[in-house]
Amino acid sequence: MNYVLPMVALAVGTLAFRLIGPMLRARVTLSPRVETLSSIGVAVIFVALIATSALIVDNRFAGIAAPVGVLVAAVLAWRKAPFVAIVVAAAVTTAALRFVGIS
């Protein structure tokens, strides 16, 4: 199947949203409730993405090492650690657990 046309359509749509968004922001006013719900919605989608990528690999449970690595990253992010430290600590935790046989 040819994937070029859908990819171009998505690229054009993304560019259109990026160009039209700032123009509409000046014309359209959203209520504080809608803005709050939008930011909560983004957080919910982000958490769902993290959960599915941490818990499922090849349509099976990923094992305990990946969720523990994500948990370490979440705690460090909550404590406002530097991004590089968060990534390295999560990767080292996951790799160490897998190395000792806990996957």
Side-chain angles (χ1 to χ4, degrees):
M1 181 177 189
N2 190 359
Y3 292 111
V4 174
L5 184 61
M7 192 166 55
V8 169
L10 286 172
V12 169
T14 301
L15 181 63
F17 271 114
R18 292 192 71 170
L19 292 175
I20 292 173
M23 289 187 269
L24 287 179
R25 184 67 178 153
R27 292 180 154 201
V28 176
T29 57
L30 299 174
S31 69
R33 179 171 166 77
V34 171
E35 288 185 11
T36 302
L37 289 175
S38 296
S39 64
I40 291 171
V42 168
V44 167
I45 290 173
F46 188 62
V47 168
L49 177 66
I50 290 171
T52 56
S53 56
L55 297 175
I56 300 171
V57 174
D58 293 332
N59 294 327
R60 284 186 267 161
F61 179 62
I64 198 69
V68 170
V70 171
L71 181 65
V72 167
V75 169
L76 290 175
W78 176 56
R79 303 286 297 165
K80 301 204 184 312
F83 180 72
V84 174
I86 294 170
V87 172
V88 170
V92 167
T93 302
T94 304
L97 288 173
R98 288 181 178 162
F99 182 74
V100 296
I102 301 172
S103 61

